[in-house]
Amino acid sequence: MKPLVYVTRKLPVEALRSLSKIATVKMWEKANVPVPRDVLLEEAKDATALLTMLTERVDEELMNVCEQLELIANMAVGYDNIQVDYARKRNIIVTNTPDVLTDTTADLTFALLMATARKLIEASNYIKHDKWTTWSPFQLAGSDIHHKTMGIVGMGRIGEAVAKRATGFDMKILYYNRNRKPSAEQKYNAMHCSFHELLKESDFVICLAPLTEETKHLFNKEAFKQMKQSAIFINASRGALVDEDALYHALTTGEIAAAGLDVFEHEPIRSNHPLVNLHNVVALPHIGSATLETRMKMATLAADNISSYLKNGEVITPV
Ligand code: DGY
């Protein structure tokens, strides 16, 4: 009998083609709707491997239901949706999808920075809502990007790719990371500094650190207080790195100038979320890696991790 693989979201068959040759692949078929928890618990129980998304909580309860589970292949570089310590206890391997999304996510991060600094969404709406009646000297005047200081919190692969883009804008690059990154220092002239220094000196503070116990609400009241009043905060990592009440306070009292947010603490958010209606916020629905090419590569890599494991016991990108 072929091993069972349960896929928690509808994915293109091409991504699963080679996996389907060696496994029975069951998939949640409703497009754009996450699998309900009770269905997941029932459908996944005989699975040897799960192909999951960040919308699924892969916790002790789910792993306990899946007695034969050997592998969780997450279709994301982040894996804070998975209780990795419990998986380890159970000898369940966890994989993610690094590298294939690096440039795409860096592009979006930079696009979000530009949209926020130059008020692109507000400016586009200006025309759509018929507010453009005349040209004025300071109408929709934003902040320059070139020659400014970018502070990257979390200098992983995506952080480095953002730094690379920033060099094209003649930006000075500071970074705060657990470990020094000599390659980024050499290639992009990035300077390692303390969190405090980064907040104090940066015109753009870019959050790209992974969500862990230590980084939860890293951007709190004290953090925003240390930023420049002209600072623009960009988050393309995970919403829970930010205390959203503190960010709201900082944005509405002029403690910082603006924010570009691709992620929120409790996704999906609705249009009545307090941050979304602020004129100085550009909000996106977690689309960092959302290009057709990259999402296909992520789906294929997640499936290939499972195929590789089923064929030879080795995975390609373990976390
Ligand atoms: C990731 O991969 O972690 C992104 O947030 C989802 O594309």
Side-chain angles (χ1 to χ4, degrees), residues 10-29:
K10 189 168 169 57
L11 293 178
V13 284
E14 305 87 75
L16 304 170
R17 193 156 285 142
S18 61
L19 179 59
S20 303
K21 290 186 188 141
I22 56 169
T24 301
V25 178
K26 250 200 210 174
M27 181 160 72
W28 171 249
E29 289 287 347

Side-chain angles (χ1 to χ4, degrees), residues 36-319:
R37 183 75 180 177
D38 56 331
V39 176
L40 175 62
L41 290 172
E42 180 56 33
E43 293 286 297
K45 67 178 194 291
D46 297 322
T48 300
L50 296 177
L51 198 164
T52 54
M53 316 288 138
L54 50 87
T55 41
E56 276 76 54
R57 211 165 15 92
V58 186
D59 56 6
E60 199 169 326
E61 180 192 35
L62 176 58
M63 289 185 244
N64 284 344
V65 166
C66 306
E67 287 180 5
Q68 299 157 45
L69 190 62
E70 295 176 29
L71 172 65
I72 302 158
N74 211 37
M75 189 184 135
V77 67
Y79 46 86
D80 46 282
N81 59 310
I82 300 173
Q83 214 178 313
V84 176
D85 53 346
Y86 191 70
R88 209 164 277 150
K89 229 192 231 169
R90 281 267 319 268
N91 281 328
I92 298 169
I93 299 166
V94 180
T95 65
N96 65 343
T97 58
D99 301 319
V100 292
L101 48 58
T102 299
D103 282 320
T104 302
T105 309
D107 284 351
L108 187 280
T109 306
F110 217 89
L112 183 54
L113 179 159
M114 295 187 79
T116 312
R118 296 301 303 271
K119 305 178 187 268
L120 296 190
I121 311 299
E122 199 181 336
S124 172
N125 286 335
Y126 209 67
I127 298 180
K128 288 187 183 174
H129 300 146
D130 262 331
K131 289 189 186 161
W132 193 22
T133 51
T134 180
W135 183 93
S136 313
F138 289 94
Q139 184 181 71
L140 293 165
S143 316
D144 271 333
I145 298 161
H146 62 87
H147 296 96
K148 292 278 181 80
T149 298
M150 170 184 279
I152 300 175
V153 177
M155 191 62 122
R157 299 175 187 86
I158 300 170
E160 287 205 32
V162 171
K164 183 178 178 183
R165 283 149 180 77
T167 59
F169 285 72
D170 297 316
M171 295 178 92
K172 176 177 169 187
I173 301 161
L174 304 177
Y175 77 99
Y176 169 69
N177 201 58
R178 254 188 326 196
N179 313 312
R180 289 280 288 264
K181 290 292 177 96
S183 73
E185 293 180 20
Q186 235 169 37
K187 282 194 264 183
Y188 312 120
N189 214 7
M191 277 179 286
H192 185 259
C193 63
S194 69
F195 188 51
H196 168 70
E197 265 176 291
L198 182 144
L199 299 177
K200 206 163 64 102
E201 299 297 330
S202 299
D203 299 301
F204 296 93
V205 176
I206 319 286
C207 171
L208 288 166
L211 175 61
T212 62
E213 297 279 313
E214 294 80 50
T215 61
K216 188 165 185 216
H217 289 190
L218 176 66
F219 291 94
N220 54 19
K221 227 172 165 180
E222 289 68 46
F224 291 117
K225 235 185 244 159
Q226 292 173 61
M227 292 185 197
K228 294 181 182 178
Q229 285 189 334
S230 56
I232 293 180
F233 175 69
I234 303 292
N235 189 4
S237 170
R238 288 291 183 269
L241 273 106
V242 178
D243 174 342
E244 290 180 347
D245 291 337
L247 175 59
Y248 182 86
H249 178 81
L251 287 163
T252 50
T253 57
E255 229 164 60
I256 68 169
L261 307 170
D262 184 41
V263 287
F264 295 86
E265 180 150 18
H266 302 291
E267 297 176 359
I269 58 160
R270 309 297 301 165
S271 61
N272 62 0
H273 189 288
L275 286 168
V276 168
N277 294 299
L278 296 181
H279 73 95
N280 49 354
V281 167
V282 174
L284 302 176
H286 202 149
I287 56 165
S289 62
T291 63
L292 290 174
E293 298 96 319
T294 292
R295 285 287 160 86
M296 197 62 200
K297 283 183 198 157
M298 291 165 69
T300 306
L301 176 55
D304 287 352
N305 264 309
I306 302 175
S307 298
S308 166
Y309 177 75
L310 295 178
K311 281 188 203 151
N312 59 35
E314 306 262 317
V315 292
I316 308 161
T317 48
V319 306

